[in-house]
Amino acid sequence: MAEQNTTGAGGGGVSGYDPQKVEAKWQKRWAEARVFESEADPSKPKYYTLEMLPYPSGTPHMGHVRNYTIGDVVARVKRMRGFNVLHPMGWDAFGLPAENAAIKNSTHPRTWTNNNIAEFQKVLRRFGFSYDWRREISTCEPEYYRWNQWFFLRMLERGLAYRKKSRVNWCPKCCTVLANEQVINGGHCWRHEDTLVESREIEQWFLKTTAYSDQLLDDLKQLEGTWPERVIVMQENWIGKSQGAKVKFAVADLAGAEPIEIFTTRIDTIYGSTAVILAPAHPLVTRLLKGSAMRVEAEGKLAKMRQASVKAEDLATMEKEGFFTGWYAVNPFNNEKIPIWVGNFVLMEYGTGAIMAVPAHDQRDLEFCRKYGLAVRVVVQPPEGEPLEAEKMTTAFDEHMQGKLVNSGPYNGLSPLDAIAKMTAFAEQKVFGRGETIFRLKDWGISRQRYWGTPIPVVYCAKDGIVAVPDSDLPVILPQDVKLTGEGGSLLASTPEFVNTICPKCGGPARRETDTMDTFVDSSWYFYRYCDAHNDKAPFDSAKVNYWFPIDQYIGGIEHAILHLLYSRFWCKVMRDLGLIKHAEPVARLFTQGMVLRGGVAMSKSRGNVVGGEEMAQKYGADTGRLYTLFAAPPEKDLEWSEESIEGSWRFLNRVYRLIERHAEALANVGNFDFGRSAVSEKERELIRKTYQTLQRVTSDFETRWHFNSAIALIMELTNEIYAQEPLEEGVRPEVRREILEMATLMLAPMTPHLAEELWEMLGHSDGLWNAKWPYLGVEQVQLSQNVEVEIPVQVNGRVRGRVKVAAGAGEEEVLKLALADPGVAHHANGKRIVKKIFVPDRLLNLVVS
RNA sequence: GCCCGGGUGGCGGAAUGGCAGACGCUGAGGACUUAAAAUCCUCCGGGGAUUUUUCCUCAUGUGGGUUCGACUCCCACCCCGGGCACCA
């Protein structure tokens, strides 16, 4: 006992607790007994709990450990509660960092990725997370990504995957497309800081997320209460539904010109529109400028605007700029001619890329019209106060729930809401407009001009055009034998063995698509694959998925609140419409945990503030690391890493170990405590009560509140109480001692599973704790958990002036009598009249005196 | 600008209408030891009174309100963090 312990912590022999030995031992036993392997079984209640799959870069740090520990506690508690638990892990293995690292270290992305996966796996196993490792997936393996391709083909068949020209950030040095976050310093390439990024139009593949706009929005309602509100709000904003109308304004005096279609949510203000404003990128702009007197001047301004729009980041603070095209549009409601302008604040990507400016009732329009001296006309008067005067307005009146229309011909006197209905109907009847709902949500561009991703399974044939690769030819395998240099554009495009192929239709020569898929494709459906990870006939067996889904608890970072979760929801709906699954939403309950910070910022390799999981496991053991990440802060909050505090968790586990070590031998062959029959001594009663009360509160902290930190505090308190009652041999029978120590062990099990197993064994159990159930209290036990005597604080005018000890359940009169005898209470209450008494049984007595 | 969080000792945090500061960290003092480590014990929000025992008082970002009673509920404001933002 108490020899040198082998950990570095504290530097000396604390107890016989040797986490390295204990943890290795139980991890081996769990693996041998296949404890965490589960199968779909409709006769059992299921629980699918999942942590977001990691991108394996480098080695896991304590941020990862915290995330997976939270998930592991949930999985283990549910197992102890009798659920058939699915708890898998895998790797988000495609992506740009692997390519960059490969270029830097002249290796292959696969080598770099697989090394990292091995490292991650080692550390995750070291922490004893209860994963079913048989279900492990790696998204860069053909066995996985062939199903990305398969899904893509199904979407292609249904018109949900299509090709279109789209504007991208292009670095002429990299010869490739850059993501928005790779455009830095006001439009320069992140790798070539002296190179200006160009805006180019290239053909790209898109998935039609917009086909599901309404469902993606409406189904958020199902998630209320089980998803964090802010995630729901972020998704709502992202989808950005907007109800309004599209209206066509003819261009006056320009033969053959298409009318300009504008989008507005306030068709009721159309009599107040004093200009039509086009986005700089609007196709009509060039045409209008051709015949314009101000052509030269205008083209200069236009070029400046179009270039400026590349710098997305300072768009928000930009001054409103614009110019007159020299042409006029005709308001279809009153046939008034209004000038056509170009304005930098009108976005081509939203609505129709053209607006009607109603300066009196839209702040942006007002600013623009004031700047350029355009007319302002009031068409809605507010219900009270001074009537608006166009000349004096500095703030637009944009309330649409109140007011009455003026200066609006036949619509005068209507409320804006009535006017919207009537005017939309009129526009539809006259066929120059219609009511329409538009969304901010755009289709999902999935093309990436990169190597390390899923090849898009189509070929281009001179004769047959775009031809889908047949299912029987899947997967289209990423060529392994390539050399990455980072120069010269798409690597796949310059690999002839990959590019050159034959057309599946005509057998003639054809070229393969060389774009690969966005890695968000991989993560959009990976959790389905876990249900049937090695199926080589289909992405998964629907029966298995229908058993396990939806995911009961999904745990991950807030950074995935929009894209990953939105794409996953989209994918789910597509799969449902393909008949593969039954549910409409993949994730029943979502939890977003806080980050682990060091020096106030998230741990990251580039900042050099990482605390490695491996390092902590070596120094303190996995259980201490797990316990600390749970204890230091509630799981939803950020956690500032502290090397000093973790010592406290280490000390606590040693304290528990020593306690049970001291009693184990004497208790190994002792039977269970008989709650009903045997009378208990005062000391026994007190210990049992404390134990059961702790259990009740810990259970609620685990199940309903997720307050792991206070659950641990409660178990610490219990441990302190037991120590305070030592030596237990005096006055506490062995079977009672056993009851108390076993309960403490079981309560720790989800958080520090290795230690708990060891203690369980020391207490004489030959079958593992993994077979044990979470303890429920029987009727007699609940009775024992109740207090016999309570101390009731007595307040006088809301301030505590004394306390009285009474039997639990004592009545008001008895408590009052004792209270008045208390010197502190008497001092404040004597000689005064008691106006009111508030008595809460077993909790409080408050005397209001005058 | 709009929408979410959050603000409690030296620090992490607990208490969701009923004794504010549980539990832990740090710090101080003590016991054990040749010594150290480990372990164990005591103290640890501010101010005041009383001195050796307790009492009073202030205190949960600020100011109001509701209530017998507010960290907790309501109103206004300040500060910090995050998200969205010419979205027509």
Side-chain angles (χ1 to χ4, degrees):
Chain A
M1 213 174 294
E3 279 123 324
Q4 279 305 99
N5 83 63
T6 54
T7 71
V14 183
S15 65
Y17 176 40
D18 178 350
Q20 305 302 329
K21 225 158 115 184
V22 167
E23 288 165 6
K25 169 179 164 184
W26 291 102
Q27 281 163 17
K28 190 161 166 265
R29 298 254 181 110
W30 292 333
E32 282 163 4
R34 307 168 71 145
V35 174
F36 306 119
E37 299 179 7
S38 53
E39 296 298 339
D41 180 352
S43 71
K44 293 185 197 158
K46 65 91 183 180
Y47 197 88
Y48 187 178
T49 183
L50 181 68
E51 299 104 58
M52 289 181 183
L53 100 166
Y55 182 81
S57 63
T59 170
H61 54 66
M62 291 311 288
H64 295 103
V65 170
R66 183 187 193 198
N67 184 198
Y68 307 140
T69 300
I70 294 167
D72 201 48
V73 172
V74 173
R76 285 176 181 271
V77 167
K78 292 293 175 188
R79 270 197 82 251
M80 289 180 85
R81 292 240 143 174
F83 285 91
N84 187 25
V85 172
L86 177 59
H87 187 213
M89 179 48 68
W91 318 107
D92 187 17
F94 271 140
L96 199 53
E99 273 184 65
N100 292 335
I103 293 162
K104 202 171 142 201
N105 312 324
S106 352
T107 138
H108 193 277
R110 173 171 293 281
T111 315
W112 184 85
T113 303
N114 285 344
N115 287 345
N116 284 343
I117 288 175
E119 185 64 27
F120 258 68
Q121 228 213 57
K122 189 179 90 192
V123 177
L124 265 50
R125 284 182 185 274
R126 179 65 193 81
F127 273 88
F129 297 127
S130 60
Y131 299 125
D132 183 350
W133 283 109
R134 298 170 309 158
R135 299 172 183 273
E136 177 183 7
I137 57 163
S138 175
T139 60
C140 68
E141 298 303 331
E143 293 74 38
Y144 184 83
Y145 68 69
R146 74 176 282 190
W147 303 111
N148 285 347
Q149 295 172 339
W150 186 88
F151 280 119
F152 177 89
L153 293 175
R154 301 293 83 75
M155 291 195 209
L156 190 62
E157 287 160 5
R158 283 160 181 75
L160 290 171
Y162 68 98
R163 233 164 114 76
K164 77 169 179 196
K165 273 208 166 157
S166 133
R167 202 154 273 285
V168 294
N169 305 309
W170 179 268
C171 171
K173 272 218 181 123
C174 302
C175 293
T176 189
V177 171
L178 300 182
N180 283 335
E181 53 272 26
Q182 291 167 341
V183 181
I184 57 165
N185 297 336
H188 290 82
C189 173
W190 65 318
R191 293 239 303 271
H192 306 100
E193 291 189 37
D194 54 339
T195 306
L196 257 180
V197 172
E198 297 170 13
S199 175
R200 274 204 191 178
E201 286 224 310
I202 63 168
E203 288 264 318
Q204 307 227 76
W205 284 98
F206 285 82
L207 299 184
K208 219 171 199 164
T209 41
T210 55
Y212 289 89
S213 302
D214 270 314
Q215 286 184 43
L216 287 168
L217 183 69
D218 294 345
D219 289 353
L220 285 172
K221 286 193 193 80
Q222 295 177 28
L223 308 175
E224 275 167 21
T226 55
W227 278 37
E229 190 197 333
R230 60 175 172 156
V231 175
I232 293 177
V233 170
M234 281 156 100
Q235 294 222 352
E236 275 168 1
N237 291 341
W238 190 261
I239 295 165
K241 184 174 182 168
S242 184
Q243 273 167 332
K246 285 183 177 171
V247 181
K248 285 175 182 161
F249 283 61
V251 182
D253 310 317
L254 182 60
E258 287 281 309
I260 298 169
E261 192 173 43
I262 61 101
F263 177 77
T264 177
T265 55
R266 293 295 306 276
I267 192 172
D268 57 309
T269 63
I270 199 165
Y271 282 80
S273 75
T274 53
V276 162
I277 309 180
L278 305 177
H282 196 284
L284 195 65
V285 173
T286 321
R287 168 97 200 268
L288 292 179
L289 290 192
K290 246 178 215 166
S292 166
M294 315 83 154
R295 181 176 169 182
V296 177
E297 196 194 339
E299 276 180 349
K301 287 180 184 164
L302 186 69
K304 212 177 120 202
M305 277 184 207
R306 282 185 176 167
Q307 217 201 342
S309 72
V310 175
K311 309 180 191 178
E313 62 247 47
D314 34 51
L315 212 108
T317 52
M318 224 155 58
E319 171 81 358
K320 285 179 183 53
E321 302 276 353
F323 59 86
F324 179 44
T325 60
W327 298 90
Y328 290 83
V330 183
N331 184 338
F333 273 82
N334 57 6
N335 292 319
E336 187 181 359
K337 278 191 188 178
I338 53 177
I340 302 173
W341 282 63
V342 172
N344 64 346
F345 69 103
V346 180
L347 307 173
M348 194 58 218
E349 306 80 54
Y350 186 77
T352 58
I355 63 161
M356 63 175 191
V358 185
H361 305 290
D362 182 291
Q363 190 59 31
R364 295 156 302 178
D365 296 350
L366 185 66
E367 285 167 27
F368 188 83
C369 291
R370 285 277 186 252
K371 177 167 177 177
Y372 293 106
L374 292 159
V376 177
R377 185 189 301 153
V378 174
V379 289
V380 182
Q381 283 294 359
E384 49 204 33
E386 289 284 296
L388 299 172
E389 284 178 63
E391 299 74 38
K392 294 182 184 162
M393 288 178 82
T394 52
T395 309
F397 175 71
D398 53 11
E399 291 289 327
H400 70 286
M401 297 308 288
Q402 47 177 326
K404 291 263 181 296
L405 266 68
V406 294
N407 296 325
S408 298
Y411 303 98
N412 283 340
L414 290 178
S415 72
L417 284 180
D418 289 343
I420 286 171
K422 293 222 161 79
M423 293 165 92
T424 304
F426 178 75
E428 279 172 8
Q429 184 201 331
K430 298 283 177 189
V431 210
F432 61 72
R434 62 188 185 280
E436 193 141 341
T437 300
I438 63 166
F439 293 87
R440 205 193 79 111
L441 181 71
K442 284 181 235 142
D443 284 338
W444 174 14
I446 59 158
S447 282
R448 298 290 181 271
Q449 290 68 40
R450 315 216 189 277
Y451 166 71
W452 195 232
T454 304
I456 293 173
V458 296
V459 302
Y460 299 98
C461 169
K463 192 166 144 266
D464 296 310
I466 298 173
V467 183
V469 174
D471 285 0
S472 55
D473 289 354
L474 296 185
V476 175
I477 293 198
L478 202 56
Q480 168 71 14
D481 191 16
V482 292
K483 191 145 184 68
L484 281 101
T485 59
E487 308 293 327
S490 167
L491 182 64
L492 287 181
S494 54
T495 305
E497 309 87 80
F498 178 80
V499 175
N500 298 324
T501 185
I502 52 162
C503 171
K505 248 188 199 163
C506 68
R511 286 177 57 83
R512 277 194 195 282
E513 170 64 77
T514 57
D515 283 355
T516 54
M517 295 184 199
D518 181 4
T519 55
F520 275 115
V521 169
D522 308 325
S523 56
S524 289
W525 68 282
Y526 74 99
F527 29 60
Y528 292 93
R529 184 70 178 169
Y530 283 140
C531 298
D532 195 11
H534 305 292
N535 194 328
D536 60 0
K537 304 283 184 298
F540 50 78
D541 173 3
S542 295
K544 288 179 180 167
V545 162
N546 285 334
Y547 171 73
W548 288 115
F549 266 76
I551 296 167
D552 295 279
Q553 183 66 64
Y554 197 26
I555 302 167
I558 186 71
E559 66 273 19
H560 293 114
I562 300 177
L563 295 184
H564 163 56
L565 290 168
L566 193 71
Y567 294 149
S568 297
R569 297 179 59 226
F570 161 74
W571 212 275
C572 172
K573 289 170 200 312
V574 172
M575 294 200 307
R576 180 203 53 201
D577 291 349
L578 289 169
L580 296 172
I581 57 171
K582 287 181 180 154
H583 55 276
E585 285 292 330
V587 176
R589 187 172 279 272
L590 175 70
F591 185 85
T592 51
Q593 96 279 1
M595 289 182 299
V596 176
L597 312 178
R598 208 182 179 197
V601 290
M603 285 187 184
S604 79
K605 216 162 48 170
S606 58
R607 285 206 190 84
N609 64 346
V610 170
V611 177
E614 172 80 23
E615 188 191 319
M616 282 299 114
Q618 262 173 31
K619 194 163 174 192
Y620 296 101
D623 282 337
T624 297
R626 293 169 59 118
L627 189 78
Y628 176 66
T629 59
L630 295 167
F631 181 59
E636 69 279 5
K637 278 187 71 173
D638 287 348
L639 184 164
E640 178 67 36
W641 182 259
S642 157
E643 196 68 46
E644 278 167 348
S645 304
I646 194 173
E647 292 276 353
S649 297
W650 163 247
R651 277 200 285 266
F652 168 65
L653 293 186
N654 275 286
R655 213 164 133 76
V656 174
Y657 187 93
R658 278 196 310 273
L659 178 67
I660 291 179
E661 189 179 42
R662 199 177 87 67
H663 290 282
E665 210 176 326
L667 302 180
N669 296 312
V670 169
N672 286 335
F673 175 56
D674 184 347
F675 320 101
R677 258 178 272 159
S678 51
V680 291
S681 70
E682 190 52 32
K683 186 171 175 183
E684 288 176 333
R685 169 102 200 197
E686 226 163 279
L687 279 164
I688 290 174
R689 187 190 307 133
K690 181 76 183 173
T691 305
Y692 291 167
Q693 285 178 351
T694 303
L695 176 69
Q696 287 164 334
R697 295 173 64 187
V698 167
T699 303
S700 125
D701 277 351
F702 277 164
E703 288 277 317
T704 55
R705 308 197 314 161
W706 279 38
H707 286 196
F708 306 123
N709 55 334
S710 66
I712 294 165
L714 287 164
I715 301 171
M716 285 175 169
E717 248 185 89
L718 175 63
T719 310
N720 292 345
E721 174 68 17
I722 298 172
Y723 265 96
Q725 298 282 357
E726 286 274 35
L728 296 185
E729 294 88 336
E730 291 172 15
V732 184
R733 281 165 291 166
E735 55 270 33
V736 177
R737 273 181 263 157
R738 182 188 183 85
E739 174 78 1
I740 292 162
L741 296 176
E742 277 194 358
M743 288 269 175
T745 302
L746 287 169
M747 284 187 254
L748 278 172
M751 301 182 287
T752 59
H754 312 86
L755 173 63
E757 289 276 10
E758 185 72 11
L759 299 176
W760 191 248
E761 191 182 56
M762 284 157 67
L763 285 167
H765 292 275
S766 53
D767 58 338
L769 188 152
W770 70 76
N771 291 307
K773 293 286 169 243
W774 187 257
Y776 280 92
L777 296 184
V779 181
E780 295 94 344
Q781 289 169 298
V782 170
Q783 255 162 30
L784 281 170
S785 77
Q786 278 154 8
N787 291 322
V788 184
E789 192 183 53
V790 290
E791 196 182 60
I792 300 181
V794 181
Q795 301 180 334
V796 178
N797 288 343
R799 305 187 67 105
V800 177
R801 300 300 184 181
R803 296 162 223 286
V804 295
K805 276 191 180 169
V806 293
E812 181 175 338
E813 272 163 48
E814 189 192 343
V815 175
L816 180 64
K817 210 175 93 192
L818 288 165
L820 292 173
D822 182 278
V825 176
H827 180 245
H828 289 91
N830 272 1
K832 293 178 182 164
R833 196 166 55 91
I834 296 175
V835 180
K836 197 172 175 183
K837 290 172 290 207
I838 292 99
F839 179 67
V840 185
D842 291 349
R843 295 301 293 273
L844 167 121
L845 175 69
N846 185 10
L847 303 174
V848 185
V849 300
S850 63

